[in-house]
PDB file of all heavy atoms in Angstrom:
ATOM      1  N   ARG Y   1      90.519  94.364  87.911  1.00 95.00           N
ATOM      2  CA  ARG Y   1      89.503  95.365  87.567  1.00 95.00           C
ATOM      3  C   ARG Y   1      89.549  96.604  88.465  1.00 95.00           C
ATOM      4  O   ARG Y   1      88.584  97.358  88.520  1.00 95.00           O
ATOM      5  CB  ARG Y   1      88.124  94.723  87.641  1.00 95.00           C
ATOM      6  CG  ARG Y   1      87.855  93.722  86.528  1.00 95.00           C
ATOM      7  CD  ARG Y   1      86.614  92.913  86.786  1.00 95.00           C
ATOM      8  NE  ARG Y   1      86.844  91.903  87.815  1.00 95.00           N
ATOM      9  CZ  ARG Y   1      85.900  91.064  88.246  1.00 95.00           C
ATOM     10  NH1 ARG Y   1      84.674  91.145  87.768  1.00 95.00           N
ATOM     11  NH2 ARG Y   1      86.182  90.168  89.175  1.00 95.00           N
ATOM     12  N   MET Y   2      90.641  96.816  89.169  1.00 97.00           N
ATOM     13  CA  MET Y   2      90.731  98.009  89.996  1.00 97.00           C
ATOM     14  C   MET Y   2      90.787  99.262  89.117  1.00 97.00           C
ATOM     15  O   MET Y   2      91.354  99.244  88.020  1.00 97.00           O
ATOM     16  CB  MET Y   2      91.972  97.949  90.887  1.00 97.00           C
ATOM     17  CG  MET Y   2      91.922  96.870  91.947  1.00 97.00           C
ATOM     18  SD  MET Y   2      93.274  97.003  93.124  1.00 97.00           S
ATOM     19  CE  MET Y   2      93.212  95.361  93.872  1.00 97.00           C
ATOM     20  N   PRO Y   3      90.213 100.376  89.593  1.00 96.00           N
ATOM     21  CA  PRO Y   3      90.192 101.595  88.769  1.00 96.00           C
ATOM     22  C   PRO Y   3      91.565 102.227  88.553  1.00 96.00           C
ATOM     23  O   PRO Y   3      91.790 102.889  87.548  1.00 96.00           O
ATOM     24  CB  PRO Y   3      89.268 102.536  89.555  1.00 96.00           C
ATOM     25  CG  PRO Y   3      89.301 102.033  90.953  1.00 96.00           C
ATOM     26  CD  PRO Y   3      89.462 100.549  90.844  1.00 96.00           C
ATOM     27  N   GLN Y   4      92.481 102.038  89.488  1.00 96.00           N
ATOM     28  CA  GLN Y   4      93.828 102.612  89.370  1.00 96.00           C
ATOM     29  C   GLN Y   4      94.851 101.483  89.321  1.00 96.00           C
ATOM     30  O   GLN Y   4      95.063 100.776  90.307  1.00 96.00           O
ATOM     31  CB  GLN Y   4      94.122 103.536  90.567  1.00 96.00           C
ATOM     32  CG  GLN Y   4      93.182 104.719  90.701  1.00 96.00           C
ATOM     33  CD  GLN Y   4      93.363 105.734  89.575  1.00 96.00           C
ATOM     34  OE1 GLN Y   4      94.420 105.798  88.956  1.00 96.00           O
ATOM     35  NE2 GLN Y   4      92.340 106.528  89.319  1.00 96.00           N
ATOM     36  N   ARG Y   5      95.480 101.293  88.149  1.00 96.00           N
ATOM     37  CA  ARG Y   5      96.495 100.243  87.968  1.00 96.00           C
ATOM     38  C   ARG Y   5      97.701 100.859  87.270  1.00 96.00           C
ATOM     39  O   ARG Y   5      97.549 101.503  86.234  1.00 96.00           O
ATOM     40  CB  ARG Y   5      95.928  99.104  87.116  1.00 96.00           C
ATOM     41  CG  ARG Y   5      94.858  98.284  87.819  1.00 96.00           C
ATOM     42  CD  ARG Y   5      94.161  97.350  86.861  1.00 96.00           C
ATOM     43  NE  ARG Y   5      93.354  98.086  85.890  1.00 96.00           N
ATOM     44  CZ  ARG Y   5      92.815  97.547  84.808  1.00 96.00           C
ATOM     45  NH1 ARG Y   5      93.011  96.281  84.508  1.00 96.00           N
ATOM     46  NH2 ARG Y   5      92.088  98.288  83.986  1.00 96.00           N
ATOM     47  N   TRP Y   6      98.879 100.670  87.860  1.00 95.00           N
ATOM     48  CA  TRP Y   6     100.076 101.310  87.335  1.00 95.00           C
ATOM     49  C   TRP Y   6     101.192 100.289  87.125  1.00 95.00           C
ATOM     50  O   TRP Y   6     101.364  99.352  87.902  1.00 95.00           O
ATOM     51  CB  TRP Y   6     100.581 102.384  88.306  1.00 95.00           C
ATOM     52  CG  TRP Y   6      99.583 103.438  88.636  1.00 95.00           C
ATOM     53  CD1 TRP Y   6      98.993 104.324  87.783  1.00 95.00           C
ATOM     54  CD2 TRP Y   6      99.046 103.734  89.933  1.00 95.00           C
ATOM     55  NE1 TRP Y   6      98.139 105.154  88.459  1.00 95.00           N
ATOM     56  CE2 TRP Y   6      98.147 104.810  89.782  1.00 95.00           C
ATOM     57  CE3 TRP Y   6      99.241 103.201  91.208  1.00 95.00           C
ATOM     58  CZ2 TRP Y   6      97.439 105.354  90.845  1.00 95.00           C
ATOM     59  CZ3 TRP Y   6      98.536 103.733  92.277  1.00 95.00           C
ATOM     60  CH2 TRP Y   6      97.648 104.796  92.086  1.00 95.00           C
ATOM     61  N   LEU Y   7     101.969 100.522  86.089  1.00 95.00           N
ATOM     62  CA  LEU Y   7     103.234  99.819  85.876  1.00 95.00           C
ATOM     63  C   LEU Y   7     104.351 100.797  86.213  1.00 95.00           C
ATOM     64  O   LEU Y   7     104.455 101.861  85.602  1.00 95.00           O
ATOM     65  CB  LEU Y   7     103.368  99.345  84.431  1.00 95.00           C
ATOM     66  CG  LEU Y   7     104.767  98.860  84.021  1.00 95.00           C
ATOM     67  CD1 LEU Y   7     105.146  97.600  84.804  1.00 95.00           C
ATOM     68  CD2 LEU Y   7     104.834  98.607  82.517  1.00 95.00           C
ATOM     69  N   ALA Y   8     105.173 100.453  87.181  1.00 94.00           N
ATOM     70  CA  ALA Y   8     106.293 101.306  87.590  1.00 94.00           C
ATOM     71  C   ALA Y   8     107.606 100.690  87.122  1.00 94.00           C
ATOM     72  O   ALA Y   8     107.808  99.479  87.211  1.00 94.00           O
ATOM     73  CB  ALA Y   8     106.309 101.482  89.109  1.00 94.00           C
ATOM     74  N   LEU Y   9     108.489 101.541  86.617  1.00 90.00           N
ATOM     75  CA  LEU Y   9     109.822 101.128  86.209  1.00 90.00           C
ATOM     76  C   LEU Y   9     110.836 102.057  86.866  1.00 90.00           C
ATOM     77  O   LEU Y   9     110.515 103.206  87.186  1.00 90.00           O
ATOM     78  CB  LEU Y   9     109.966 101.179  84.688  1.00 90.00           C
ATOM     79  CG  LEU Y   9     109.079 100.217  83.883  1.00 90.00           C
ATOM     80  CD1 LEU Y   9     109.246 100.464  82.391  1.00 90.00           C
ATOM     81  CD2 LEU Y   9     109.376  98.775  84.234  1.00 90.00           C
ATOM     82  N   PRO Y  10     112.062 101.595  87.070  1.00 84.00           N
ATOM     83  CA  PRO Y  10     113.061 102.440  87.728  1.00 84.00           C
ATOM     84  C   PRO Y  10     113.719 103.441  86.795  1.00 84.00           C
ATOM     85  O   PRO Y  10     114.620 104.162  87.194  1.00 84.00           O
ATOM     86  CB  PRO Y  10     114.086 101.426  88.246  1.00 84.00           C
ATOM     87  CG  PRO Y  10     114.004 100.298  87.276  1.00 84.00           C
ATOM     88  CD  PRO Y  10     112.559 100.228  86.849  1.00 84.00           C
ATOM     89  N   HIS Y  11     113.271 103.510  85.540  1.00 79.00           N
ATOM     90  CA  HIS Y  11     113.881 104.394  84.549  1.00 79.00           C
ATOM     91  C   HIS Y  11     112.851 104.672  83.471  1.00 79.00           C
ATOM     92  O   HIS Y  11     111.845 103.959  83.346  1.00 79.00           O
ATOM     93  CB  HIS Y  11     115.119 103.738  83.929  1.00 79.00           C
ATOM     94  CG  HIS Y  11     114.996 102.256  83.834  1.00 79.00           C
ATOM     95  ND1 HIS Y  11     114.058 101.644  83.032  1.00 79.00           N
ATOM     96  CD2 HIS Y  11     115.655 101.271  84.483  1.00 79.00           C
ATOM     97  CE1 HIS Y  11     114.155 100.330  83.182  1.00 79.00           C
ATOM     98  NE2 HIS Y  11     115.099 100.073  84.048  1.00 79.00           N
ATOM     99  N   GLY Y  12     113.061 105.718  82.683  1.00 72.00           N
ATOM    100  CA  GLY Y  12     112.127 106.061  81.631  1.00 72.00           C
ATOM    101  C   GLY Y  12     112.043 104.978  80.580  1.00 72.00           C
ATOM    102  O   GLY Y  12     113.053 104.488  80.085  1.00 72.00           O
ATOM    103  N   HIS Y  13     110.837 104.558  80.228  1.00 68.00           N
ATOM    104  CA  HIS Y  13     110.625 103.525  79.232  1.00 68.00           C
ATOM    105  C   HIS Y  13     109.228 103.730  78.671  1.00 68.00           C
ATOM    106  O   HIS Y  13     108.336 104.215  79.371  1.00 68.00           O
ATOM    107  CB  HIS Y  13     110.767 102.139  79.859  1.00 68.00           C
ATOM    108  CG  HIS Y  13     110.756 101.018  78.861  1.00 68.00           C
ATOM    109  ND1 HIS Y  13     109.614 100.362  78.497  1.00 68.00           N
ATOM    110  CD2 HIS Y  13     111.755 100.456  78.143  1.00 68.00           C
ATOM    111  CE1 HIS Y  13     109.908  99.422  77.599  1.00 68.00           C
ATOM    112  NE2 HIS Y  13     111.193  99.465  77.373  1.00 68.00           N
ATOM    113  N   GLY Y  14     109.030 103.351  77.424  1.00 68.00           N
ATOM    114  CA  GLY Y  14     107.766 103.628  76.772  1.00 68.00           C
ATOM    115  C   GLY Y  14     106.555 103.066  77.492  1.00 68.00           C
ATOM    116  O   GLY Y  14     105.473 103.647  77.453  1.00 68.00           O
ATOM    117  N   ALA Y  15     106.704 101.909  78.158  1.00 76.00           N
ATOM    118  CA  ALA Y  15     105.558 101.275  78.801  1.00 76.00           C
ATOM    119  C   ALA Y  15     105.298 101.804  80.205  1.00 76.00           C
ATOM    120  O   ALA Y  15     104.252 101.509  80.787  1.00 76.00           O
ATOM    121  CB  ALA Y  15     105.793  99.761  78.863  1.00 76.00           C
ATOM    122  N   ALA Y  16     106.213 102.565  80.762  1.00 77.00           N
ATOM    123  CA  ALA Y  16     106.098 102.994  82.153  1.00 77.00           C
ATOM    124  C   ALA Y  16     104.986 104.011  82.341  1.00 77.00           C
ATOM    125  O   ALA Y  16     104.840 104.946  81.558  1.00 77.00           O
ATOM    126  CB  ALA Y  16     107.421 103.573  82.639  1.00 77.00           C
ATOM    127  N   GLN Y  17     104.195 103.835  83.396  1.00 85.00           N
ATOM    128  CA  GLN Y  17     103.216 104.832  83.813  1.00 85.00           C
ATOM    129  C   GLN Y  17     103.721 105.607  85.026  1.00 85.00           C
ATOM    130  O   GLN Y  17     103.178 106.646  85.367  1.00 85.00           O
ATOM    131  CB  GLN Y  17     101.903 104.126  84.142  1.00 85.00           C
ATOM    132  CG  GLN Y  17     101.272 103.458  82.921  1.00 85.00           C
ATOM    133  CD  GLN Y  17     100.230 102.439  83.305  1.00 85.00           C
ATOM    134  OE1 GLN Y  17     100.470 101.544  84.106  1.00 85.00           O
ATOM    135  NE2 GLN Y  17      99.050 102.561  82.721  1.00 85.00           N
ATOM    136  N   LEU Y  18     104.737 105.063  85.658  1.00 91.00           N
ATOM    137  CA  LEU Y  18     105.340 105.706  86.822  1.00 91.00           C
ATOM    138  C   LEU Y  18     106.819 105.346  86.849  1.00 91.00           C
ATOM    139  O   LEU Y  18     107.184 104.190  86.646  1.00 91.00           O
ATOM    140  CB  LEU Y  18     104.658 105.229  88.108  1.00 91.00           C
ATOM    141  CG  LEU Y  18     105.258 105.684  89.441  1.00 91.00           C
ATOM    142  CD1 LEU Y  18     105.093 107.192  89.602  1.00 91.00           C
ATOM    143  CD2 LEU Y  18     104.608 104.949  90.599  1.00 91.00           C
ATOM    144  N   VAL Y  19     107.664 106.340  87.051  1.00 90.00           N
ATOM    145  CA  VAL Y  19     109.106 106.108  87.207  1.00 90.00           C
ATOM    146  C   VAL Y  19     109.467 106.413  88.649  1.00 90.00           C
ATOM    147  O   VAL Y  19     109.185 107.504  89.149  1.00 90.00           O
ATOM    148  CB  VAL Y  19     109.924 107.006  86.252  1.00 90.00           C
ATOM    149  CG1 VAL Y  19     111.414 106.825  86.490  1.00 90.00           C
ATOM    150  CG2 VAL Y  19     109.575 106.687  84.803  1.00 90.00           C
ATOM    151  N   CYS Y  20     110.065 105.445  89.333  1.00 92.00           N
ATOM    152  CA  CYS Y  20     110.363 105.654  90.747  1.00 92.00           C
ATOM    153  C   CYS Y  20     111.463 104.710  91.200  1.00 92.00           C
ATOM    154  O   CYS Y  20     111.852 103.774  90.497  1.00 92.00           O
ATOM    155  CB  CYS Y  20     109.110 105.443  91.606  1.00 92.00           C
ATOM    156  SG  CYS Y  20     108.502 103.740  91.614  1.00 92.00           S
ATOM    157  N   ASP Y  21     111.958 104.971  92.394  1.00 92.00           N
ATOM    158  CA  ASP Y  21     112.942 104.126  93.050  1.00 92.00           C
ATOM    159  C   ASP Y  21     112.198 103.007  93.761  1.00 92.00           C
ATOM    160  O   ASP Y  21     111.374 103.261  94.645  1.00 92.00           O
ATOM    161  CB  ASP Y  21     113.745 104.974  94.044  1.00 92.00           C
ATOM    162  CG  ASP Y  21     114.842 104.180  94.746  1.00 92.00           C
ATOM    163  OD1 ASP Y  21     114.897 102.944  94.579  1.00 92.00           O
ATOM    164  OD2 ASP Y  21     115.637 104.801  95.469  1.00 92.00           O
ATOM    165  N   PHE Y  22     112.474 101.768  93.406  1.00 93.00           N
ATOM    166  CA  PHE Y  22     111.759 100.639  94.006  1.00 93.00           C
ATOM    167  C   PHE Y  22     112.063 100.482  95.488  1.00 93.00           C
ATOM    168  O   PHE Y  22     111.325  99.802  96.205  1.00 93.00           O
ATOM    169  CB  PHE Y  22     112.106  99.341  93.270  1.00 93.00           C
ATOM    170  CG  PHE Y  22     111.535  99.246  91.880  1.00 93.00           C
ATOM    171  CD1 PHE Y  22     111.807  98.141  91.087  1.00 93.00           C
ATOM    172  CD2 PHE Y  22     110.738 100.252  91.367  1.00 93.00           C
ATOM    173  CE1 PHE Y  22     111.284  98.047  89.800  1.00 93.00           C
ATOM    174  CE2 PHE Y  22     110.212 100.176  90.079  1.00 93.00           C
ATOM    175  CZ  PHE Y  22     110.490  99.064  89.297  1.00 93.00           C
ATOM    176  N   ASP Y  23     113.156 101.064  95.954  1.00 94.00           N
ATOM    177  CA  ASP Y  23     113.511 100.978  97.373  1.00 94.00           C
ATOM    178  C   ASP Y  23     112.964 102.143  98.180  1.00 94.00           C
ATOM    179  O   ASP Y  23     113.162 102.214  99.394  1.00 94.00           O
ATOM    180  CB  ASP Y  23     115.037 100.921  97.529  1.00 94.00           C
ATOM    181  CG  ASP Y  23     115.627  99.666  96.903  1.00 94.00           C
ATOM    182  OD1 ASP Y  23     115.016  98.592  97.068  1.00 94.00           O
ATOM    183  OD2 ASP Y  23     116.681  99.762  96.249  1.00 94.00           O
ATOM    184  N   ASP Y  24     112.274 103.059  97.515  1.00 95.00           N
ATOM    185  CA  ASP Y  24     111.655 104.207  98.185  1.00 95.00           C
ATOM    186  C   ASP Y  24     110.416 104.579  97.382  1.00 95.00           C
ATOM    187  O   ASP Y  24     110.397 105.569  96.666  1.00 95.00           O
ATOM    188  CB  ASP Y  24     112.643 105.378  98.264  1.00 95.00           C
ATOM    189  CG  ASP Y  24     112.079 106.547  99.051  1.00 95.00           C
ATOM    190  OD1 ASP Y  24     111.134 106.341  99.839  1.00 95.00           O
ATOM    191  OD2 ASP Y  24     112.567 107.680  98.859  1.00 95.00           O
ATOM    192  N   LEU Y  25     109.376 103.782  97.524  1.00 95.00           N
ATOM    193  CA  LEU Y  25     108.191 103.931  96.682  1.00 95.00           C
ATOM    194  C   LEU Y  25     107.451 105.234  96.990  1.00 95.00           C
ATOM    195  O   LEU Y  25     107.296 105.604  98.154  1.00 95.00           O
ATOM    196  CB  LEU Y  25     107.243 102.744  96.896  1.00 95.00           C
ATOM    197  CG  LEU Y  25     107.802 101.383  96.458  1.00 95.00           C
ATOM    198  CD1 LEU Y  25     106.843 100.266  96.843  1.00 95.00           C
ATOM    199  CD2 LEU Y  25     108.053 101.364  94.952  1.00 95.00           C
ATOM    200  N   PRO Y  26     106.994 105.941  95.948  1.00 94.00           N
ATOM    201  CA  PRO Y  26     106.332 107.232  96.138  1.00 94.00           C
ATOM    202  C   PRO Y  26     104.860 107.088  96.506  1.00 94.00           C
ATOM    203  O   PRO Y  26     103.981 107.714  95.897  1.00 94.00           O
ATOM    204  CB  PRO Y  26     106.509 107.896  94.769  1.00 94.00           C
ATOM    205  CG  PRO Y  26     106.460 106.764  93.817  1.00 94.00           C
ATOM    206  CD  PRO Y  26     107.169 105.625  94.515  1.00 94.00           C
ATOM    207  N   PHE Y  27     104.560 106.252  97.483  1.00 96.00           N
ATOM    208  CA  PHE Y  27     103.204 106.052  97.959  1.00 96.00           C
ATOM    209  C   PHE Y  27     103.186 106.138  99.481  1.00 96.00           C
ATOM    210  O   PHE Y  27     104.155 105.750 100.149  1.00 96.00           O
ATOM    211  CB  PHE Y  27     102.661 104.681  97.517  1.00 96.00           C
ATOM    212  CG  PHE Y  27     102.452 104.549  96.044  1.00 96.00           C
ATOM    213  CD1 PHE Y  27     103.478 104.085  95.225  1.00 96.00           C
ATOM    214  CD2 PHE Y  27     101.247 104.883  95.457  1.00 96.00           C
ATOM    215  CE1 PHE Y  27     103.298 103.960  93.861  1.00 96.00           C
ATOM    216  CE2 PHE Y  27     101.053 104.763  94.094  1.00 96.00           C
ATOM    217  CZ  PHE Y  27     102.077 104.309  93.290  1.00 96.00           C
ATOM    218  N   GLU Y  28     102.079 106.616 100.002  1.00 96.00           N
ATOM    219  CA  GLU Y  28     101.911 106.658 101.452  1.00 96.00           C
ATOM    220  C   GLU Y  28     101.821 105.240 102.010  1.00 96.00           C
ATOM    221  O   GLU Y  28     101.456 104.300 101.302  1.00 96.00           O
ATOM    222  CB  GLU Y  28     100.646 107.447 101.811  1.00 96.00           C
ATOM    223  CG  GLU Y  28     100.706 108.921 101.433  1.00 96.00           C
ATOM    224  CD  GLU Y  28     101.795 109.661 102.187  1.00 96.00           C
ATOM    225  OE1 GLU Y  28     101.901 109.461 103.419  1.00 96.00           O
ATOM    226  OE2 GLU Y  28     102.537 110.425 101.566  1.00 96.00           O
ATOM    227  N   SER Y  29     102.141 105.095 103.268  1.00 97.00           N
ATOM    228  CA  SER Y  29     101.997 103.798 103.927  1.00 97.00           C
ATOM    229  C   SER Y  29     100.531 103.365 103.907  1.00 97.00           C
ATOM    230  O   SER Y  29      99.624 104.202 103.981  1.00 97.00           O
ATOM    231  CB  SER Y  29     102.503 103.876 105.370  1.00 97.00           C
ATOM    232  OG  SER Y  29     103.872 104.222 105.404  1.00 97.00           O
ATOM    233  N   ASN Y  30     100.313 102.066 103.787  1.00 97.00           N
ATOM    234  CA  ASN Y  30      98.960 101.488 103.820  1.00 97.00           C
ATOM    235  C   ASN Y  30      98.048 102.092 102.744  1.00 97.00           C
ATOM    236  O   ASN Y  30      96.916 102.477 103.010  1.00 97.00           O
ATOM    237  CB  ASN Y  30      98.318 101.701 105.200  1.00 97.00           C
ATOM    238  CG  ASN Y  30      99.177 101.168 106.322  1.00 97.00           C
ATOM    239  OD1 ASN Y  30      99.688 100.060 106.244  1.00 97.00           O
ATOM    240  ND2 ASN Y  30      99.359 101.961 107.356  1.00 97.00           N
ATOM    241  N   SER Y  31      98.553 102.172 101.517  1.00 97.00           N
ATOM    242  CA  SER Y  31      97.787 102.842 100.461  1.00 97.00           C
ATOM    243  C   SER Y  31      97.464 101.970  99.256  1.00 97.00           C
ATOM    244  O   SER Y  31      96.615 102.345  98.451  1.00 97.00           O
ATOM    245  CB  SER Y  31      98.538 104.088  99.977  1.00 97.00           C
ATOM    246  OG  SER Y  31      99.800 103.733  99.440  1.00 97.00           O
ATOM    247  N   LEU Y  32      98.101 100.818  99.099  1.00 98.00           N
ATOM    248  CA  LEU Y  32      97.879  99.984  97.917  1.00 98.00           C
ATOM    249  C   LEU Y  32      97.140  98.698  98.290  1.00 98.00           C
ATOM    250  O   LEU Y  32      97.388  98.109  99.336  1.00 98.00           O
ATOM    251  CB  LEU Y  32      99.209  99.624  97.250  1.00 98.00           C
ATOM    252  CG  LEU Y  32     100.047 100.790  96.703  1.00 98.00           C
ATOM    253  CD1 LEU Y  32     101.332 100.260  96.079  1.00 98.00           C
ATOM    254  CD2 LEU Y  32      99.260 101.603  95.692  1.00 98.00           C
ATOM    255  N   ASP Y  33      96.255  98.275  97.408  1.00 98.00           N
ATOM    256  CA  ASP Y  33      95.490  97.047  97.634  1.00 98.00           C
ATOM    257  C   ASP Y  33      96.175  95.821  97.039  1.00 98.00           C
ATOM    258  O   ASP Y  33      95.962  94.704  97.506  1.00 98.00           O
ATOM    259  CB  ASP Y  33      94.095  97.184  97.020  1.00 98.00           C
ATOM    260  CG  ASP Y  33      93.320  98.340  97.615  1.00 98.00           C
ATOM    261  OD1 ASP Y  33      92.858  98.215  98.754  1.00 98.00           O
ATOM    262  OD2 ASP Y  33      93.201  99.382  96.931  1.00 98.00           O
ATOM    263  N   LEU Y  34      96.970  96.021  95.993  1.00 98.00           N
ATOM    264  CA  LEU Y  34      97.626  94.907  95.303  1.00 98.00           C
ATOM    265  C   LEU Y  34      98.984  95.363  94.804  1.00 98.00           C
ATOM    266  O   LEU Y  34      99.096  96.431  94.195  1.00 98.00           O
ATOM    267  CB  LEU Y  34      96.760  94.435  94.129  1.00 98.00           C
ATOM    268  CG  LEU Y  34      97.379  93.424  93.159  1.00 98.00           C
ATOM    269  CD1 LEU Y  34      97.743  92.132  93.879  1.00 98.00           C
ATOM    270  CD2 LEU Y  34      96.426  93.155  91.996  1.00 98.00           C
ATOM    271  N   LEU Y  35     100.000  94.540  95.056  1.00 98.00           N
ATOM    272  CA  LEU Y  35     101.353  94.840  94.607  1.00 98.00           C
ATOM    273  C   LEU Y  35     101.947  93.583  93.984  1.00 98.00           C
ATOM    274  O   LEU Y  35     101.963  92.516  94.603  1.00 98.00           O
ATOM    275  CB  LEU Y  35     102.214  95.298  95.789  1.00 98.00           C
ATOM    276  CG  LEU Y  35     103.621  95.807  95.497  1.00 98.00           C
ATOM    277  CD1 LEU Y  35     103.598  96.956  94.507  1.00 98.00           C
ATOM    278  CD2 LEU Y  35     104.309  96.231  96.780  1.00 98.00           C
ATOM    279  N   VAL Y  36     102.412  93.717  92.732  1.00 98.00           N
ATOM    280  CA  VAL Y  36     102.985  92.592  91.992  1.00 98.00           C
ATOM    281  C   VAL Y  36     104.474  92.837  91.806  1.00 98.00           C
ATOM    282  O   VAL Y  36     104.881  93.886  91.283  1.00 98.00           O
ATOM    283  CB  VAL Y  36     102.288  92.427  90.619  1.00 98.00           C
ATOM    284  CG1 VAL Y  36     102.954  91.311  89.823  1.00 98.00           C
ATOM    285  CG2 VAL Y  36     100.805  92.126  90.819  1.00 98.00           C
ATOM    286  N   LEU Y  37     105.286  91.876  92.225  1.00 97.00           N
ATOM    287  CA  LEU Y  37     106.747  91.973  92.115  1.00 97.00           C
ATOM    288  C   LEU Y  37     107.259  90.859  91.203  1.00 97.00           C
ATOM    289  O   LEU Y  37     107.607  89.773  91.668  1.00 97.00           O
ATOM    290  CB  LEU Y  37     107.409  91.856  93.495  1.00 97.00           C
ATOM    291  CG  LEU Y  37     106.939  92.805  94.599  1.00 97.00           C
ATOM    292  CD1 LEU Y  37     107.748  92.569  95.877  1.00 97.00           C
ATOM    293  CD2 LEU Y  37     107.062  94.253  94.164  1.00 97.00           C
TER     294      LEU Y  37
END
């Protein structure tokens, strides 16, 4: 029930809300409450 929930993929895809490199995540350190791998 968190207000901000994203699905990230390493390439463009219809379901993706964020496209990024999984080895260099575009988030600041200490910024996420939950991470699912």
Side-chain angles (χ1 to χ4, degrees):
R1 289 168 285 179
M2 293 189 197
Q4 299 292 337
R5 290 170 292 168
W6 303 298
L7 168 65
L9 296 175
H11 33 65
H13 188 268
Q17 295 163 308
L18 174 67
V19 176
C20 66
D21 182 352
F22 290 178
D23 296 319
D24 185 20
L25 295 174
F27 293 90
E28 295 297 315
S29 299
N30 305 314
S31 61
L32 298 180
D33 300 286
L34 171 61
L35 187 56
V36 176
L37 306 182

